[in-house]
Amino acid sequence: MDTILGPLYTAVSWIIVQFHSLYSLVFNEDSGWAWGLSIVSLVVLIRICLIPLFVKQIKATRNMQALQPKMKAIQERYKNDKQRQSEEMMKLYRETGTNPLSSCLPILAQSPFFIALYQVLNKIAGDHAVGVMDQQLVDSARSAHIFGAPIASKFLDSASKIESLGATLTDVRVVTVIMIVMMSASQFYTQRQLMTKNVDLTVKTPFMQQQKMLMYIFPIMFAVFGINFPVGVLVYWLTTNVWTMGQQMFVIHRNPTPGSVAFKARQERLRAQGKLKEDPAEVEAKKAAESARASRQQPKRQSKSKRQHSGPGSGQAAKGTDSSTDSSEKLSLEKQDQPEDTKPKPAGGSARSKAGQRKGSQRPKHPSKK
C-alpha cells in the first residue's frame, strides 16, 4: 500500500507542512493549534477542489429522484426477468444522461486523501518520517496536543503508548468520545436536513426509504469506526462533515429541489420580495378568487328571537296567517252585501231546500191518473 499511495503521502504531508509553516507565524510550531489548523486547512482545500463534483452530485441525486417512478415501473414489469430489467434500467440511464455513481463522486474523490492522512498520522505516531516530513517535523507533530490529546493517539491505544506521547488515557478518551459524538451528530443532521427539507414529498419512491435508512446507518458507522481513528483523522472528518452540512444548507436555501418544503419556502420569499414572475393566467385566477371572496357579504348577526321570527318557516307561516286573515275578512264583507235570497245557507238547510226544489219542480201528473 505504501508503494501505491506513496505519491499521496507526499502530497498530503507537503500540504500540511505548508499550512504548518503559515500558522507557526502566529502559534507555537509545536502546539496543537498549529498542527490542528493545518489539518483543518487541508480539508478546506480539498473540499474547495471538490465543489464541481459536488454540483454533479446534486444534479445526479435530483435526476435519480425524478427517475424513481419510472424505475419502479420497470421493476414491476420485468420482475421475473432480471436481465431484461437491468437492460431497461441502463437504457433509461442513457436516455436521461444519469449516472448513479455521480452521487458518490465527492466521497470517492476524497477517500484517497483520507486514507493518506490516516497513514501519515500512523507514521507520526510510530515516530517514522513520512513524505516531506523529516524527523524534526515528526517529533514536533508528535508533541502537538489538541485539548490534551495528541493528534496521533486513538481511543483504543494503551495507557503506555499514550504516556509515551505525553498524555493521559482519560484525556485521550474524553476528547475522542466528544469528537466522535460531534462527528456522528453532524452527519445525522446533514442527512435529516436533506430528507425533511430538500426532497419532493409528493412522490413516494424507494429512494426516499434508502435515504431514510442512511440517515441512521451513517452515524452508527462513524461511531463504530471512529474509535479506531487517530485524533487528527477525527479532526479531518469532523471538519469535512461540518463543511458538508454548511454547503448543503446553502444549496437548500438557494437552489432547493422542486416540490420540496425548502422550494415552497423559497417561492414565498421571492414572492414577498417581488422577484417571482408568475404565470399571468394564475395571477388572474388568484385575483378573481380574492375579489369574489371580498365581495361576498356576510349575514348580519341577529339575536335568537329575531332569528326565530325571521326564519323561513316562520315567514311562510306569518304570510299564510296574514293571507288567511285577509281572505276571511273579505268573505265576511261579501256576505253582508248579498241579498237574503242569495246568501249561502247552512249545510242542513241547503239539503232540505234542494230536496224541496226537487219536490216542487216535479212534472204534474196526467189527468187520467188523478
Side-chain angles (χ1 to χ4, degrees):
M1 180 178 288
D2 291 345
T3 304
I4 298 174
L5 296 179
L8 276 177
Y9 295 169
T10 303
V12 169
S13 61
W14 184 84
I15 294 172
I16 292 177
V17 167
Q18 299 306 313
F19 280 117
H20 177 261
S21 301
L22 178 63
Y23 291 120
S24 296
L25 300 175
V26 181
F27 305 102
N28 185 1
E29 62 179 6
D30 297 333
S31 65
W33 286 105
W35 287 103
L37 289 175
S38 299
I39 296 173
V40 172
S41 300
L42 171 68
V43 176
V44 173
L45 179 62
I46 293 173
R47 294 309 301 264
I48 290 174
C49 296
L50 293 179
I51 286 178
L53 294 180
F54 181 75
V55 174
K56 290 185 178 180
Q57 180 191 25
I58 294 174
K59 293 180 179 179
T61 303
R62 291 184 180 178
N63 290 339
M64 290 296 294
Q65 290 177 355
L67 291 179
Q68 286 299 313
K70 295 181 180 181
M71 293 171 62
K72 189 175 182 181
I74 292 175
Q75 291 173 354
E76 291 293 332
R77 181 180 297 179
Y78 304 106
K79 59 183 178 181
N80 297 325
D81 190 352
K82 297 298 182 181
Q83 183 178 357
R84 182 66 183 278
Q85 185 182 119
S86 301
E87 292 175 356
E88 292 295 326
M89 288 286 190
M90 297 304 297
K91 181 180 178 182
L92 181 63
Y93 292 149
R94 288 194 300 270
E95 292 176 352
T96 57
T98 303
N99 185 2
L101 297 178
S102 297
S103 59
C104 303
L105 284 178
I107 296 177
L108 295 176
Q110 67 176 329
S111 294
F113 294 94
F114 171 78
I115 296 172
L117 178 64
Y118 180 85
Q119 293 297 329
V120 167
L121 292 175
N122 275 339
K123 297 287 186 181
I124 293 172
D127 200 13
H128 300 296
V130 57
V132 300
M133 296 181 65
D134 55 16
Q135 193 62 43
Q136 182 180 356
L137 289 173
V138 169
D139 294 338
S140 175
R142 277 172 57 86
S143 61
H145 291 66
I146 297 177
F147 300 110
I151 64 173
S153 61
K154 305 176 187 176
F155 179 87
L156 297 178
D157 283 345
S158 61
S160 58
K161 185 176 181 179
I162 293 175
E163 288 177 1
S164 65
L165 296 173
T168 62
L169 184 62
T170 303
D171 291 340
V172 170
R173 291 191 173 179
V174 168
V175 171
T176 53
V177 166
I178 292 174
M179 295 184 72
I180 289 171
V181 170
M182 293 175 64
M183 188 173 60
S184 301
S186 60
Q187 178 66 35
F188 176 80
Y189 180 81
T190 301
Q191 194 68 22
R192 187 177 184 276
Q193 181 180 232
L194 177 66
M195 288 298 301
T196 57
K197 294 184 179 181
N198 204 37
V199 173
D200 187 0
L201 300 177
T202 59
V203 181
K204 303 294 183 182
T205 61
F207 180 78
M208 295 177 63
Q209 297 297 328
Q210 295 173 4
Q211 293 295 317
K212 191 174 181 179
M213 291 176 60
L214 293 177
M215 182 172 65
Y216 297 99
I217 291 175
F218 274 140
I220 295 174
M221 289 176 59
F222 279 115
V224 171
F225 293 113
I227 59 177
N228 293 310
F229 292 163
V231 172
V233 174
L234 293 179
V235 171
Y236 175 94
W237 209 251
L238 177 60
T239 306
T240 193
N241 280 359
V242 173
W243 177 281
T244 303
M245 182 173 61
Q247 190 172 247
Q248 185 172 271
M249 290 175 66
F250 177 80
V251 171
I252 291 175
H253 182 77
R254 297 295 298 272
N255 189 20
T257 302
S260 62
V261 176
F263 181 81
K264 295 178 181 177
R266 180 176 180 272
Q267 296 296 95
E268 291 297 329
R269 289 196 306 271
L270 294 178
R271 190 177 291 111
Q273 297 173 2
K275 298 180 180 179
L276 183 64
K277 295 181 180 180
E278 298 182 348
D279 188 4
E282 295 181 359
V283 174
E284 292 296 330
K286 289 181 180 179
K287 288 183 178 179
E290 290 177 358
S291 61
R293 191 182 301 110
S295 62
R296 186 176 60 190
Q297 295 181 354
Q298 296 292 336
K300 297 181 179 180
R301 295 189 63 182
Q302 297 179 350
S303 62
K304 186 176 181 180
S305 58
K306 287 184 179 181
R307 287 198 301 270
Q308 291 177 350
H309 288 296
S310 61
S314 61
Q316 293 178 359
K319 186 176 179 181
T321 305
D322 294 340
S323 59
S324 62
T325 304
D326 294 341
S327 60
S328 61
E329 291 179 353
K330 185 177 180 182
L331 183 60
S332 62
L333 292 174
E334 289 178 354
K335 285 182 179 180
Q336 291 178 1
D337 295 339
Q338 288 180 355
E340 293 293 331
D341 296 338
T342 60
K343 285 182 179 180
K345 295 180 180 181
S350 63
R352 287 194 299 269
S353 63
K354 286 181 180 179
Q357 287 177 0
R358 287 198 301 270
K359 189 175 181 180
S361 61
Q362 289 179 353
R363 294 175 62 182
K365 292 181 179 181
H366 197 272
S368 62
K369 292 183 180 180
K370 288 184 179 178

